[in-house]
Amino acid sequence: MNRLDPDIAIQRRLLNFVQSALLLGGMAALAGVLGWMLLGPEGVVWAAAAAALAVAFAPSFSPRWVLQMTGAWEINPGQAPALYHLLGDIAARAGLERAPRLYYVPTRVLNAFAAGRRDDGAIAVSDGLLRALDIREIAGVLAHEVAHLRANDIWVMTLADIVGRLTSILSFVGQMLLIVMLPIAIFKGYEIPLLGFAVVIFAPLVAVAMQLALSRTREYDADVVAVELTGDPEGLALALDKLERIQGGWIERMFMAGGIPKWLRTHPPMDERIRRLLALDRARSGRAPYALPPGLRGGLHELPVIAHRPRWHWNGLWY
């Protein structure tokens, strides 16, 4: 199995882990501060209990059901043996008990995403992605999505979303109390704590910024793990570059001359991801790129499921 210098990979993954822990901890601390401002020490306990209950009783949706909502349908191994062979090989390298199920999204948009958990996961790939990328680039993209499943990133981001929603609720309650108490404070000459006022008002925005930063950190980590699985940083970098050239950024160029600010993105800027991947590539000390499983070195076979290109319909769906 081809791998990078383990010291380089460990350093990158450790940094990403620390960043993720700090961001999640910061979001939890922010919710705790709001609870303390509203109810004192008991408020912190109630906020923690509410978050724990939300996590424990949050509905667990099957990835099959989630993906069907996007218009995707499952591809069976007979329809895409090459893709299943490739995905199974990468999943085995990642130590997953079983390979994720594979779904096809009938859209020309270049996209791939994961759903579910490491023990019950699925990966969806779009028609546009399968047509635009070669086998080496697809291997990098699949490894990136497998990395998300192995790290249970969907659960991590769900937890962050729950904490963020709790922060918004506590902030709303605090704002309502301020509206009620402010006239009384002004009338009786009480001093208004400006710092507490600012925390209550801006806490949801800070929580959203932390949640987006956490999402970007998990993307960086998935890139590093993907490279560990394939030993081919350049393959994933080429895929990201192709995605950026074909479709990336056109909405920003059309509607936002300066682009979307980095802190408002769920994904890191593509050029930064490519730069980091190529830096890993230079650390490979001449190792060969990902060795494709036997039978795939000639590329993907024609897939019956994408015999015709999907077309956009008036109802917003692709067929």
Side-chain angles (χ1 to χ4, degrees), residues 16-314:
N16 291 332
F17 173 79
V18 171
Q19 290 177 336
S20 298
L22 289 175
L23 288 168
L24 268 177
M27 293 182 67
L30 184 60
V33 168
L34 287 175
W36 180 82
M37 291 176 63
L38 293 175
L39 298 173
E42 292 183 355
V44 179
V45 176
W46 279 107
L53 288 173
V55 172
F57 293 98
S60 179
F61 298 109
S62 166
R64 184 191 304 270
W65 184 82
V66 173
L67 288 165
Q68 285 178 348
M69 288 183 60
T70 68
W73 64 77
E74 188 171 359
I75 309 173
N76 63 57
Q79 291 175 302
L83 269 181
Y84 262 97
H85 192 171
L86 180 61
L87 181 58
D89 182 67
I90 293 173
R93 292 179 176 219
L96 299 185
E97 295 181 2
R98 59 178 179 178
R101 293 188 295 274
L102 194 61
Y103 280 75
Y104 166 79
V105 185
T107 174
R108 296 186 186 181
V109 177
L110 277 65
N111 192 23
F113 57 93
R117 309 179 305 273
R118 61 177 295 156
D119 60 342
D120 181 24
I123 293 177
V125 290
S126 71
D127 181 273
L129 186 89
L130 294 176
R131 293 179 184 274
L133 305 187
D134 63 26
I135 183 64
R136 182 186 181 193
E137 295 160 351
I138 290 176
V141 172
L142 290 178
H144 177 91
E145 301 306 330
V146 167
H148 278 309
L149 290 175
R150 190 175 80 169
N152 278 324
D153 280 342
I154 292 88
W155 181 86
V156 171
M157 294 311 301
T158 299
L159 176 60
D161 182 65
I162 289 173
V163 176
R165 291 176 186 272
L166 177 61
T167 300
S168 297
I169 293 172
L170 293 173
S171 173
F172 177 78
V173 173
Q175 291 178 47
M176 293 301 100
L177 290 175
L178 285 173
I179 292 174
V180 172
M181 299 301 296
L182 191 59
I184 300 176
I186 295 175
F187 179 75
K188 293 190 175 183
Y190 295 151
E191 183 179 352
I192 301 174
L194 296 180
L195 179 60
F197 185 83
V199 170
V200 170
I201 296 297
F202 294 106
L205 295 178
V206 175
V208 169
M210 288 183 177
Q211 187 174 347
L212 293 174
L214 177 63
S215 176
R216 294 192 296 271
T217 299
R218 302 316 304 155
E219 290 300 321
Y220 281 134
D221 192 65
D223 283 347
V224 174
V225 175
V227 169
E228 287 184 304
L229 296 176
T230 64
D232 184 17
E234 188 180 3
L236 180 55
L238 289 171
L240 296 178
D241 178 67
K242 191 171 290 186
L243 264 64
E244 181 72 4
R245 285 188 291 103
I246 293 178
Q247 68 184 21
W250 68 270
I251 295 180
E252 296 178 25
R253 292 192 293 269
M254 181 178 296
F255 297 105
M256 301 183 66
I260 300 176
K262 178 180 177 180
W263 65 278
L264 289 177
R265 297 172 180 262
T266 59
H267 286 58
M270 202 71 80
D271 58 349
E272 176 64 15
R273 293 176 66 185
I274 293 172
R275 184 191 67 79
R276 294 191 181 197
L277 286 167
L278 293 180
L280 285 174
D281 193 40
R282 287 193 292 272
R284 287 194 304 135
S285 303
R287 284 187 175 90
Y290 177 54
L292 297 173
L296 292 183
R297 293 187 175 85
L300 289 176
H301 307 302
E302 185 69 24
L303 302 178
V305 74
I306 58 170
H308 66 279
R309 299 209 66 174
R311 298 180 180 179
W312 188 85
H313 289 248
W314 63 271

